[in-house]
Amino acid sequence: MAESGSGPEVTAHGSTPAQHQPSETPSLAEARSAPGTQLIPRPHIAIVQGLIGSLMMLVGSVGTGWMALGSPMVRNPLVIAMRTEGWGIYTSTVLLTFGAMLLMRSWIRLGQRLAGWPEGSLRAVVAAIIAWSLPLFLAVPIFSRDVYAYIGQGRLMEAGENPYTTGISTLDNWFMLGADPAWAESRTPYGPYFLWLAHLVVKITDAQPDLSGLLFRALACIGVALCVIYVPKLAKMHGFDGARALWLSVANPLFLISFVASAHNDGLMVGLAVAGTYFAATGRPIRGILLVTASIGIKPITILLLPFIGLLWAGRNASWPRKFATWAATAVLSFGVLFMSGIPYNLGSGWILAILDPTPGFTGYSPSGFLGMQVNRIGDALGLPGGDIARVLRTALKYLGIGIVVLLMFWGEGQRSHRVVRRMGLAFAAVVMLSPIIQPWYILWFLPFLAVTGIKNNWQVRVLYVVTGFFVIFGAQDQLSVWPFIEVQWDVSTIAYVIALAFTAYLMLLDPHTKHVLIEGGPRGWLERRRRRRSGQ
């Protein structure tokens, strides 16, 4: 994909702390020393390309996004054609998939164009986030239909039912509002504050699915906005470039797709957690605890952050008695507020069940799920109870994640806020990565905390590229909605998968701007190094 006016190729992302001048890559140094050469980053080129990708996703979502059967949109002639005619379904699939991959490339290119992170980089990253988010805000929900389950839980609240004990199948017409049948008998995994918000949305919209989805999306965008504000501030106080941290985390296409297009309430949860961490790290622990408590009230998983918020309150080089005192005070304040929050609507402490009674099963691409499947196969081949052994392994890995959290609570290099926030991110990552179920947006829970404490421009940023790309490809081919009564000649998931893989191969093998991001020197450089090793040079 050729780009005009892109200047010399730049591959560095400036991951060194802000107080140290980052060393220039050879390409950047040569560009500055070459006679008559002027380096022009021009981030607007990447921003515009990403905007085009987002607009393609907006159009594609009309034909293959998750549209509620009760939506008035399904009676629009153009929408009917795009969702029932072969040309409409195939065109929508191509636009949605290609747009997502173009957004992925634009994100990488934005980081390359801003390499070294000169003055004005933060403004460029914020502009990219806004430009890429606007079309996604208006899109039909893609990559997930959880937003329709939120409507069901708001309706349960409106009917005087307790979502912690009652599934949405008790509601009339629940299926027509777009919820996944998997939610039919499930208890809500969310905190009391989100249930209040879901109730408010339903009261405002009378459960109209399209308007409700926009309001839930607006709530998620509040979390995105909080991250835009506080991620750069947290990075700066830890000695890292705020623009780069924001680019790594919030401008990330998986972040925008999951929290804007999919309207996951995790966006609000993460935004409140990041803001709370910032206030706790800057000597305002009470405000920090209350914001993290609000995050728990959206989705209780962020309860894992409280021990580290207590450490930030204790301060640098605090004694063990002071640490235990601040831990206790943090727990009393946070849990006290949460228990009082259960009094309205008679919700009680049902949010605890969301932690103690997680969703059963596993995902095959999680480390726990993948290892469990291999153990299951091996055990069955040996005549052993492979399924039981696999369940024990997955349970052991889950508790290992909890053990890592406890270890990081008590062990770390000093008590500087940088180390505490880093340990917080690592603890969060351990719990997510060792859980049997990993949804694509789960990695976004801990990504901002690692970004503000330094993701280096080595294998760390390459892992982020791979994981982000994997989940974007996974969502593009796994989460396409084609009405079951529609017969199509070619499977749309296969079409999306082929497009995504072809685009990925182009990025890694042919694109002169991106083929170096995973392999130093690109495929040609890798082959040359391999030839030299074989010849003994």
Side-chain angles (χ1 to χ4, degrees):
M1 184 169 295
E3 299 175 7
S4 61
S6 59
E9 178 57 31
V10 180
T11 58
H13 300 298
S15 61
T16 45
Q19 63 264 36
H20 297 94
Q21 184 67 28
S23 59
E24 297 178 339
T25 60
S27 57
L28 184 57
E30 291 168 5
R32 285 179 170 163
S33 61
T37 301
Q38 182 180 7
L39 180 64
I40 306 177
R42 295 190 181 181
H44 67 273
I45 296 177
I47 295 173
V48 171
Q49 290 178 342
L51 174 61
I52 294 171
S54 294
L55 289 170
M56 294 173 70
M57 295 178 73
L58 167 61
V59 177
S61 72
V62 177
T64 53
W66 292 101
M67 186 177 293
L69 293 176
S71 168
M73 292 178 64
V74 300
R75 296 189 291 271
N76 181 284
L78 178 59
V79 173
I80 292 173
M82 292 187 69
R83 299 191 73 90
T84 60
E85 301 290 339
W87 69 265
I89 294 173
Y90 294 138
T91 300
S92 297
T93 299
V94 172
L95 287 173
L96 183 63
T97 308
F98 193 87
M101 297 308 297
L102 180 57
L103 185 60
M104 177 78 188
R105 181 187 184 275
S106 302
W107 171 61
I108 295 173
R109 290 295 292 137
L110 181 64
Q112 290 178 323
R113 287 181 175 279
L114 295 175
W117 305 96
E119 185 179 354
S121 295
L122 181 59
R123 184 168 57 253
V125 176
V126 173
I129 293 170
I130 295 172
W132 299 347
S133 296
L134 286 176
L136 299 179
F137 185 87
L138 299 174
V140 176
I142 56 175
F143 287 30
S144 172
R145 50 175 158 167
D146 282 2
V147 66
Y148 297 122
Y150 303 162
I151 300 173
Q153 288 155 12
R155 290 182 65 203
L156 283 174
M157 294 283 287
E158 178 70 7
E161 299 287 348
N162 187 339
Y164 292 120
T165 59
T166 307
I168 61 176
S169 62
T170 61
L171 299 167
D172 294 335
N173 208 35
W174 67 272
F175 183 75
M176 293 296 290
L177 295 183
D180 189 330
W183 281 100
E185 302 294 337
S186 300
R187 297 179 294 188
T188 183
Y190 307 126
Y193 301 151
F194 183 72
L195 296 180
W196 296 1
L197 292 171
H199 185 204
L200 179 62
V201 167
V202 167
K203 285 185 73 70
I204 292 173
T205 66
D206 196 26
Q208 201 279 338
D210 302 322
L211 183 55
S212 296
L214 285 177
L215 289 183
F216 281 118
R217 191 170 275 161
L219 291 174
C221 285
I222 292 174
V224 174
L226 288 172
C227 288
V228 169
I229 294 170
Y230 291 108
V231 161
K233 292 183 177 182
L234 265 176
K236 183 178 180 180
M237 69 174 293
H238 290 139
F240 292 89
D241 191 280
R244 183 177 186 273
L246 194 65
W247 166 75
L248 287 169
S249 54
V250 183
N252 187 305
L254 185 62
F255 194 101
L256 298 180
I257 292 172
S258 299
F259 294 161
V260 180
S262 300
H264 282 295
N265 60 2
D266 306 60
L268 182 56
M269 176 197 78
V270 172
L272 290 168
V274 169
T277 301
Y278 171 76
F279 284 109
T282 52
R284 290 165 282 185
I286 304 302
R287 191 179 305 181
I289 292 169
L290 292 177
L291 283 167
V292 172
T293 300
S295 174
I296 298 169
I298 301 299
K299 203 166 184 178
I301 187 65
T302 45
I303 196 172
L304 296 171
L305 306 186
L306 287 179
F308 302 95
I309 298 297
L311 288 175
L312 291 172
W313 187 359
R316 185 177 181 179
N317 298 323
S319 63
W320 282 109
R322 177 168 173 79
K323 291 178 188 177
F324 279 102
T326 54
W327 277 333
T330 300
V332 167
L333 177 57
S334 181
F335 295 159
V337 170
L338 286 169
F339 281 119
M340 286 190 295
S341 301
I343 297 175
Y345 303 104
N346 296 315
L347 293 174
S349 57
W351 58 274
I352 297 177
L353 296 176
I355 302 175
L356 300 179
D357 186 23
T359 304
F362 62 91
T363 50
Y365 51 77
S366 69
S368 172
F370 179 79
L371 289 174
M373 288 192 299
Q374 309 316 309
V375 168
N376 193 346
R377 292 192 182 99
I378 295 172
D380 289 345
L382 297 175
L384 301 173
D388 293 336
I389 297 173
R391 279 190 292 273
V392 170
L393 173 63
R394 290 193 292 267
T395 301
L397 289 175
K398 180 174 67 175
Y399 284 108
L400 174 61
I402 297 174
I404 292 174
V405 175
V406 175
L407 176 65
L408 291 170
M409 283 173 55
F410 288 93
W411 177 81
E413 184 181 340
Q415 292 302 313
R416 291 175 293 173
S417 63
H418 177 198
R419 296 295 180 181
V420 173
V421 176
R422 185 70 170 186
R423 285 153 58 191
M424 175 191 291
L426 292 174
F428 216 166
V431 169
V432 170
M433 299 306 296
L434 294 176
S435 294
I437 293 181
I438 299 178
Q439 299 292 0
W441 56 93
Y442 286 9
I443 68 166
L444 306 174
W445 294 351
F446 58 83
L447 178 58
F449 299 107
L450 298 184
V452 301
T453 53
I455 293 178
K456 296 180 180 179
N457 187 40
N458 51 18
W459 63 268
Q460 295 179 5
V461 78
R462 293 187 179 100
V463 166
L464 179 60
Y465 288 148
V466 170
V467 172
T468 300
F470 170 81
F471 281 123
V472 170
I473 294 171
F474 175 81
Q477 61 87 31
D478 182 69
Q479 290 292 325
L480 297 174
S481 173
V482 177
W483 288 333
F485 54 84
I486 303 297
E487 293 186 4
V488 290
Q489 185 175 359
W490 297 292
D491 180 63
V492 294
S493 293
T494 302
I495 294 173
Y497 188 58
V498 170
I499 292 172
L501 286 186
F503 201 110
T504 301
Y506 168 75
L507 293 178
M508 294 181 61
L509 302 175
L510 300 176
D511 191 324
H513 300 291
T514 62
K515 65 182 181 181
H516 305 280
V517 296
L518 293 182
I519 305 173
E520 185 179 354
R524 182 178 298 178
W526 179 81
L527 290 173
E528 179 65 21
R529 289 192 298 273
R530 187 178 177 86
R531 185 190 65 79
R532 288 178 179 177
R533 283 196 297 268
R534 285 182 173 179
S535 62
Q537 295 181 4

